[in-house]
Amino acid sequence: KLVDPPRGPSNRLSLQSSAKLLRHPTLIWSSIAASLGMYTVFTSSFGFLPNYALTLGASKTQLGLLSTITLLCGSIAGLSASRFALPVLGPRNAVVAAYSVVALVTAAIPHTTEVYQLFLLQSLSGLSRGTAYPIMMSLSIHGLPERDKATAMGFFQAVYSAGMFLGPVVAGQIGGWMGYTILFSSSAVVAVISVGAALKLPRSIES
């Protein structure tokens, strides 16, 4: 015979704590900004950029180099974000600046005419993405007690994964209907919205 688990004050307290946690503004807005950022990245850099590069005459070697540049710049920026971007700009402004660059880069992609231009744009995109992501990950647990950090990180990862999934799906439909220019332009709009989400981060995190 199955027995229902006891429902006492501890269970109610846990639910109340979780509900309160999910109203934490730094967690909410860092998660939303990260998800929108992932939408843009998985639409462009890890999505349809290689296909667009082929229309410019990119070789297989150039496609491999394009991916390498994106990943390498992202890794370098991720490792150095706490040493350079954070002390100079602070977490909120660093994320805003990074996603502003991503928006400009994404908007510029369909206007390129040479493969080497994509190398430059993806260098900037990789540096910006690599700067923003580790900062937002740390912000998702900023100011939270130890007992809540695992739950907050799980929420953050679940929300940003939605951007990874929806980016290729939605942008693929847009590109199929209206072409690369609208595809990348719509992704740039999403990047602009991610800037707006980053601006919603509390100013108190700068102190």
Side-chain angles (χ1 to χ4, degrees):
K1 181 179 178 179
L2 296 177
V3 179
D4 291 335
R7 297 180 182 180
S10 60
N11 285 353
R12 290 197 297 271
L13 181 61
S14 177
L15 290 174
Q16 290 172 357
S17 300
S18 297
K20 183 178 179 181
L21 174 65
L22 297 181
R23 292 195 298 269
H24 194 276
T26 305
L27 170 61
I28 294 298
W29 290 112
S30 63
S31 300
I32 292 173
S35 182
L36 294 170
M38 285 294 174
Y39 177 101
T40 305
V41 167
F42 276 79
T43 296
S44 56
S45 300
F46 301 144
F48 299 96
L49 184 68
N51 292 341
Y52 179 72
L54 287 173
T55 68
L56 299 182
S59 65
K60 292 182 179 180
T61 301
Q62 289 173 321
L63 290 179
L65 184 58
L66 194 61
S67 298
T68 301
I69 289 173
T70 303
L71 294 171
L72 180 61
C73 289
S75 298
I76 292 172
L79 292 172
S80 59
S82 61
R83 184 174 299 179
F84 299 108
L86 281 178
V88 175
L89 298 173
R92 182 174 178 272
N93 291 334
V95 173
V96 169
Y99 277 145
S100 296
V101 173
V102 170
L104 292 172
V105 165
T106 307
I109 288 174
H111 303 290
T112 56
T113 56
E114 301 290 342
V115 176
Y116 75 86
Q117 295 170 339
L118 294 179
F119 292 157
L120 174 60
L121 291 178
Q122 285 311 288
S123 298
L124 294 172
S125 178
L127 290 170
S128 301
R129 175 180 55 82
T131 297
Y133 181 72
I135 294 174
M136 287 186 296
M137 181 178 284
S138 64
L139 288 178
S140 69
I141 58 174
H142 176 78
L144 296 175
E146 286 296 326
R147 68 176 183 274
D148 292 333
K149 288 184 177 180
T151 302
M153 184 57 66
F155 176 82
F156 174 82
Q157 292 177 344
V159 174
Y160 89 70
S161 327
M164 295 168 62
F165 170 75
L166 291 174
V169 172
V170 175
Q173 294 298 318
I174 293 173
W177 293 336
M178 291 174 276
Y180 285 117
T181 299
I182 301 300
L183 185 158
F184 289 116
S185 297
S186 65
S187 295
V189 171
V190 173
V192 171
I193 298 173
S194 72
V195 174
L199 286 169
K200 287 285 189 177
L201 289 166
R203 293 185 180 275
S204 59
I205 62 176
E206 301 290 354
S207 57

